Amino acid sequence: MTAAAPGRAAAAAVSAAGLLVLGLVCFRSFGEPPQPTAAAAASVLLLVLSWQLRGDTPLLRRHTTAALGTIVLVCNHPAGPWHQPLAVFAAGMLAVLLGFRRWRPPDLYWFLGSMAAAGAFVAVFQGLRAAPAGWPVAVAAGWLAYHAVAAAADGAFAAATGRQASIRSGAGWGQTARLLGVNLPACLCGYVIADLPGPAAGTVPATVLYLGSVSVLALAVTGWLRNRELRRRLSGLVGAARQLPWADGAIEKVLLGAASASVRADQVAVRTDPPAGGEIGVK
Protein backbone atom coordinates (compact mmCIF):
# COMPACT_ATOMS: atom_id res chain seq x y z
CA MET A 1 0.00 0.00 0.00
CA THR A 2 1.45 3.37 -1.02
CA ALA A 3 1.52 6.41 1.22
CA ALA A 4 -1.29 8.03 -0.78
CA ALA A 5 -3.61 4.99 -0.61
CA PRO A 6 -5.18 5.90 2.78
CA GLY A 7 -5.72 9.43 1.50
CA ARG A 8 -7.44 8.14 -1.63
CA ALA A 9 -9.66 5.89 0.48
CA ALA A 10 -10.60 8.82 2.72
CA ALA A 11 -11.28 11.03 -0.30
CA ALA A 12 -13.51 8.30 -1.78
CA ALA A 13 -15.44 8.12 1.49
CA VAL A 14 -15.95 11.89 1.50
CA SER A 15 -17.14 11.80 -2.11
CA ALA A 16 -19.54 8.94 -1.37
CA ALA A 17 -20.98 10.84 1.61
CA GLY A 18 -21.47 13.98 -0.47
CA LEU A 19 -23.07 12.00 -3.30
CA LEU A 20 -25.46 10.36 -0.81
CA VAL A 21 -26.50 13.75 0.60
CA LEU A 22 -27.03 15.14 -2.91
CA GLY A 23 -29.08 12.11 -3.94
CA LEU A 24 -31.30 12.34 -0.87
CA VAL A 25 -31.90 16.04 -1.47
CA CYS A 26 -32.84 15.45 -5.11
CA PHE A 27 -35.18 12.57 -4.17
CA ARG A 28 -36.92 14.59 -1.47
CA SER A 29 -37.18 17.65 -3.73
CA PHE A 30 -39.22 15.73 -6.30
CA GLY A 31 -41.98 15.13 -3.74
CA GLU A 32 -41.63 18.43 -1.88
CA PRO A 33 -39.96 21.10 -4.04
CA PRO A 34 -37.87 23.65 -2.11
CA GLN A 35 -39.42 27.09 -1.66
CA PRO A 36 -37.91 29.69 -4.05
CA THR A 37 -37.58 32.54 -1.56
CA ALA A 38 -35.70 35.83 -1.76
CA ALA A 39 -33.35 34.53 0.95
CA ALA A 40 -32.59 31.47 -1.19
CA ALA A 41 -31.69 33.65 -4.18
CA ALA A 42 -29.50 35.89 -2.00
CA SER A 43 -27.82 32.79 -0.57
CA VAL A 44 -26.90 31.49 -4.02
CA LEU A 45 -25.39 34.86 -4.90
CA LEU A 46 -23.43 34.86 -1.63
CA LEU A 47 -21.93 31.44 -2.37
CA VAL A 48 -20.90 32.61 -5.84
CA LEU A 49 -19.30 35.67 -4.24
CA SER A 50 -17.51 33.47 -1.72
CA TRP A 51 -15.73 31.58 -4.49
CA GLN A 52 -14.61 34.82 -6.11
CA LEU A 53 -13.27 36.05 -2.77
CA ARG A 54 -11.49 32.75 -2.26
CA GLY A 55 -9.69 33.15 -5.57
CA ASP A 56 -8.70 36.75 -4.78
CA THR A 57 -7.41 36.05 -1.26
CA PRO A 58 -4.61 33.46 -1.01
CA LEU A 59 -4.57 33.93 2.77
CA LEU A 60 -7.98 32.31 3.13
CA ARG A 61 -8.07 29.63 0.42
CA ARG A 62 -11.12 27.44 1.04
CA HIS A 63 -11.99 29.02 4.39
CA THR A 64 -13.98 31.86 2.83
CA THR A 65 -16.35 29.46 1.08
CA ALA A 66 -16.71 27.33 4.21
CA ALA A 67 -17.41 30.31 6.48
CA LEU A 68 -20.03 31.84 4.22
CA GLY A 69 -21.50 28.41 3.54
CA THR A 70 -22.49 27.99 7.17
CA ILE A 71 -24.20 31.39 7.12
CA VAL A 72 -26.21 30.28 4.09
CA LEU A 73 -27.36 27.15 5.91
CA VAL A 74 -28.57 28.97 9.03
CA CYS A 75 -30.35 31.63 6.96
CA ASN A 76 -32.48 29.05 5.12
CA HIS A 77 -34.47 27.61 8.03
CA PRO A 78 -32.54 24.48 9.03
CA ALA A 79 -35.29 23.79 11.59
CA GLY A 80 -37.84 23.34 8.77
CA PRO A 81 -37.82 20.63 6.08
CA TRP A 82 -34.28 19.27 6.10
CA HIS A 83 -33.83 19.42 2.35
CA GLN A 84 -34.63 23.16 2.00
CA PRO A 85 -31.25 24.56 3.20
CA LEU A 86 -29.37 21.72 1.50
CA ALA A 87 -31.11 22.37 -1.83
CA VAL A 88 -30.21 26.07 -1.64
CA PHE A 89 -26.65 25.18 -0.71
CA ALA A 90 -26.38 22.70 -3.62
CA ALA A 91 -27.76 25.31 -6.04
CA GLY A 92 -25.10 27.78 -4.92
CA MET A 93 -22.29 25.24 -5.27
CA LEU A 94 -23.50 24.25 -8.76
CA ALA A 95 -23.66 27.92 -9.74
CA VAL A 96 -20.03 28.28 -8.67
CA LEU A 97 -18.97 25.28 -10.76
CA LEU A 98 -20.86 26.51 -13.80
CA GLY A 99 -19.66 30.09 -13.45
CA PHE A 100 -16.04 29.79 -12.36
CA ARG A 101 -14.75 26.23 -12.77
CA ARG A 102 -14.39 23.40 -15.23
CA TRP A 103 -15.80 20.00 -14.37
CA ARG A 104 -12.53 18.36 -13.46
CA PRO A 105 -12.22 15.63 -10.78
CA PRO A 106 -10.89 18.08 -8.12
CA ASP A 107 -13.86 20.39 -8.77
CA LEU A 108 -16.35 17.56 -8.39
CA TYR A 109 -14.60 16.43 -5.21
CA TRP A 110 -14.78 19.96 -3.80
CA PHE A 111 -18.52 20.07 -4.59
CA LEU A 112 -19.24 16.67 -3.01
CA GLY A 113 -17.10 17.46 0.04
CA SER A 114 -19.08 20.67 0.54
CA MET A 115 -22.35 18.73 0.30
CA ALA A 116 -21.10 16.24 2.90
CA ALA A 117 -20.22 19.10 5.26
CA ALA A 118 -23.62 20.76 4.72
CA GLY A 119 -25.37 17.44 5.36
CA ALA A 120 -23.45 17.07 8.63
CA PHE A 121 -24.60 20.53 9.71
CA VAL A 122 -28.29 19.86 9.08
CA ALA A 123 -28.18 16.35 10.59
CA VAL A 124 -26.50 17.52 13.80
CA PHE A 125 -28.69 20.61 14.08
CA GLN A 126 -31.99 18.79 13.64
CA GLY A 127 -30.87 15.87 15.80
CA LEU A 128 -30.11 18.18 18.72
CA ARG A 129 -33.31 20.17 18.24
CA ALA A 130 -35.26 16.91 18.47
CA ALA A 131 -33.37 15.96 21.65
CA PRO A 132 -34.45 18.71 22.54
CA ALA A 133 -31.60 21.18 22.88
CA GLY A 134 -31.62 24.95 22.68
CA TRP A 135 -31.09 26.50 19.29
CA PRO A 136 -27.73 28.11 20.21
CA VAL A 137 -26.35 24.68 21.13
CA ALA A 138 -27.76 23.15 17.95
CA VAL A 139 -26.31 25.90 15.73
CA ALA A 140 -22.88 25.71 17.40
CA ALA A 141 -22.76 21.90 17.20
CA GLY A 142 -23.87 21.89 13.57
CA TRP A 143 -21.29 24.58 12.81
CA LEU A 144 -18.55 22.44 14.38
CA ALA A 145 -19.68 19.37 12.42
CA TYR A 146 -19.63 21.34 9.16
CA HIS A 147 -16.11 22.65 9.62
CA ALA A 148 -14.82 19.30 10.89
CA VAL A 149 -16.06 17.55 7.74
CA ALA A 150 -14.72 20.36 5.53
CA ALA A 151 -11.29 20.11 7.15
CA ALA A 152 -11.33 16.30 6.85
CA ALA A 153 -12.24 16.57 3.16
CA ASP A 154 -9.40 19.01 2.57
CA GLY A 155 -6.95 16.81 4.46
CA ALA A 156 -8.00 13.69 2.54
CA PHE A 157 -7.50 15.47 -0.78
CA ALA A 158 -4.08 16.71 0.32
CA ALA A 159 -3.03 13.20 1.40
CA ALA A 160 -4.31 11.65 -1.83
CA THR A 161 -2.50 14.15 -4.08
CA GLY A 162 0.64 14.80 -2.05
CA ARG A 163 -0.20 18.46 -1.53
CA GLN A 164 -0.35 20.50 1.63
CA ALA A 165 -3.75 20.96 3.24
CA SER A 166 -5.01 24.51 2.70
CA ILE A 167 -5.11 25.15 6.45
CA ARG A 168 -1.30 24.99 6.39
CA SER A 169 -0.46 26.43 2.99
CA GLY A 170 -3.18 29.09 3.16
CA ALA A 171 -4.38 30.78 6.32
CA GLY A 172 -2.62 28.69 8.95
CA TRP A 173 -4.13 27.71 12.30
CA GLY A 174 -4.09 31.19 13.83
CA GLN A 175 -5.75 32.87 10.86
CA THR A 176 -8.32 30.08 10.61
CA ALA A 177 -9.18 30.29 14.31
CA ARG A 178 -9.77 34.05 14.03
CA LEU A 179 -11.92 33.58 10.95
CA LEU A 180 -14.04 30.91 12.61
CA GLY A 181 -14.25 32.96 15.81
CA VAL A 182 -16.00 35.68 13.82
CA ASN A 183 -18.04 33.21 11.78
CA LEU A 184 -19.82 31.46 14.68
CA PRO A 185 -21.40 34.65 16.12
CA ALA A 186 -22.39 35.60 12.57
CA CYS A 187 -24.15 32.23 12.20
CA LEU A 188 -25.96 32.64 15.52
CA CYS A 189 -27.09 36.12 14.52
CA GLY A 190 -28.19 34.86 11.09
CA TYR A 191 -30.33 32.16 12.66
CA VAL A 192 -32.09 34.70 14.88
CA ILE A 193 -32.81 36.94 11.88
CA ALA A 194 -34.04 34.04 9.73
CA ASP A 195 -36.42 33.02 12.54
CA LEU A 196 -38.11 36.43 12.66
CA PRO A 197 -41.76 36.69 11.51
CA GLY A 198 -42.26 37.15 7.77
CA PRO A 199 -42.23 40.73 6.45
CA ALA A 200 -45.19 42.58 5.09
CA ALA A 201 -45.85 42.42 1.36
CA GLY A 202 -43.53 44.63 -0.66
CA THR A 203 -40.80 44.89 2.00
CA VAL A 204 -37.32 43.35 1.81
CA PRO A 205 -36.91 40.35 4.16
CA ALA A 206 -34.51 40.88 7.05
CA THR A 207 -32.60 37.75 6.00
CA VAL A 208 -31.86 39.27 2.59
CA LEU A 209 -30.60 42.47 4.22
CA TYR A 210 -28.43 40.41 6.55
CA LEU A 211 -26.94 38.37 3.69
CA GLY A 212 -26.27 41.61 1.82
CA SER A 213 -24.49 43.04 4.86
CA VAL A 214 -22.38 39.88 5.15
CA SER A 215 -21.43 40.23 1.47
CA VAL A 216 -20.30 43.83 1.94
CA LEU A 217 -18.29 42.90 5.04
CA ALA A 218 -16.68 39.96 3.25
CA LEU A 219 -15.66 42.22 0.37
CA ALA A 220 -14.15 44.76 2.76
CA VAL A 221 -12.20 42.15 4.75
CA THR A 222 -10.97 40.47 1.57
CA GLY A 223 -9.69 43.76 0.17
CA TRP A 224 -7.83 44.50 3.39
CA LEU A 225 -6.25 41.04 3.50
CA ARG A 226 -5.25 41.21 -0.16
CA ASN A 227 -3.57 44.59 0.36
CA ARG A 228 -1.76 43.29 3.45
CA GLU A 229 -0.46 40.31 1.48
CA LEU A 230 0.78 42.55 -1.33
CA ARG A 231 2.54 44.84 1.15
CA ARG A 232 4.21 41.83 2.80
CA ARG A 233 5.54 40.56 -0.52
CA LEU A 234 6.71 44.01 -1.56
CA SER A 235 8.51 44.45 1.76
CA GLY A 236 10.40 41.20 1.16
CA LEU A 237 11.57 42.29 -2.28
CA VAL A 238 12.52 45.79 -1.12
CA GLY A 239 14.39 44.35 1.85
CA ALA A 240 16.45 42.13 -0.44
CA ALA A 241 17.21 45.02 -2.81
CA ARG A 242 18.36 47.27 0.04
CA GLN A 243 21.07 44.76 0.92
CA LEU A 244 22.81 45.22 -2.45
CA PRO A 245 25.69 44.98 -3.18
CA TRP A 246 25.89 41.52 -1.66
CA ALA A 247 29.13 40.36 -0.13
CA ASP A 248 30.81 37.20 -1.44
CA GLY A 249 29.02 34.12 -0.15
CA ALA A 250 26.02 36.12 1.12
CA ILE A 251 23.78 35.60 -1.90
CA GLU A 252 22.18 32.40 -0.57
CA LYS A 253 21.50 33.92 2.85
CA VAL A 254 19.88 37.04 1.37
CA LEU A 255 17.88 34.94 -1.10
CA LEU A 256 16.47 32.71 1.65
CA GLY A 257 15.58 35.72 3.78
CA ALA A 258 13.76 37.40 0.89
CA ALA A 259 11.89 34.18 0.04
CA SER A 260 10.79 33.71 3.65
CA ALA A 261 9.47 37.27 3.77
CA SER A 262 7.66 37.00 0.43
CA VAL A 263 6.23 33.48 0.37
CA ARG A 264 4.12 31.86 3.08
CA ALA A 265 5.75 28.41 3.45
CA ASP A 266 6.93 26.05 6.19
CA GLN A 267 10.50 25.99 4.86
CA VAL A 268 12.60 27.60 2.14
CA ALA A 269 15.83 26.18 0.73
CA VAL A 270 18.33 26.57 -2.10
CA ARG A 271 19.17 23.24 -3.71
CA THR A 272 20.08 21.66 -7.02
CA ASP A 273 17.11 19.30 -7.50
CA PRO A 274 13.75 20.55 -8.83
CA PRO A 275 10.69 20.90 -6.56
CA ALA A 276 8.82 17.69 -5.72
CA GLY A 277 5.06 17.20 -5.38
CA GLY A 278 3.47 19.75 -3.08
CA GLU A 279 6.48 22.12 -3.37
CA ILE A 280 6.87 25.44 -5.19
CA GLY A 281 10.19 26.36 -6.76
CA VAL A 282 11.79 28.65 -9.31
CA LYS A 283 15.20 28.57 -10.96
Side-chain angles (χ1 to χ4, degrees), residues 111-280:
F111 168 63
L112 293 177
S114 299
M115 288 304 303
F121 178 96
V122 174
V124 170
F125 176 88
Q126 295 203 350
L128 287 176
R129 291 295 285 157
W135 69 263
V137 175
V139 170
W143 177 87
L144 284 172
Y146 179 100
H147 288 286
V149 173
D154 183 48
F157 182 78
T161 58
R163 303 176 182 178
Q164 280 191 330
S166 63
I167 198 172
R168 294 184 61 199
S169 59
W173 289 106
Q175 183 74 22
T176 301
R178 289 191 291 271
L179 175 67
L180 296 183
V182 173
N183 181 237
L184 179 56
C187 287
L188 294 170
C189 182
Y191 183 81
V192 172
I193 293 174
D195 203 37
L196 293 174
T203 61
V204 179
T207 303
V208 175
L209 294 176
Y210 181 72
L211 291 171
S213 300
V214 169
S215 300
V216 172
L217 180 61
L219 284 170
V221 172
T222 299
W224 177 76
L225 289 173
R226 183 167 57 244
N227 290 336
R228 190 182 70 169
E229 180 74 0
L230 291 174
R231 286 195 301 270
R232 184 181 64 82
R233 293 183 178 183
L234 181 60
S235 296
L237 296 175
V238 171
R242 289 179 61 185
Q243 297 184 49
L244 288 170
W246 298 332
D248 293 340
I251 295 179
E252 181 173 334
K253 179 179 178 181
V254 175
L255 180 60
L256 291 176
S260 297
S262 302
V263 180
R264 190 177 300 273
D266 294 336
Q267 294 180 341
V268 293
V270 176
R271 63 190 193 202
T272 58
D273 52 313
E279 296 180 333
I280 299 175

Side-chain angles (χ1 to χ4, degrees), residues 2-16:
T2 64
R8 287 196 293 268
V14 170
S15 300

Side-chain angles (χ1 to χ4, degrees), residues 24-39:
L24 291 173
V25 171
C26 292
F27 179 78
R28 179 66 181 272
S29 297
F30 280 120
E32 186 180 349
Q35 297 298 316
T37 64

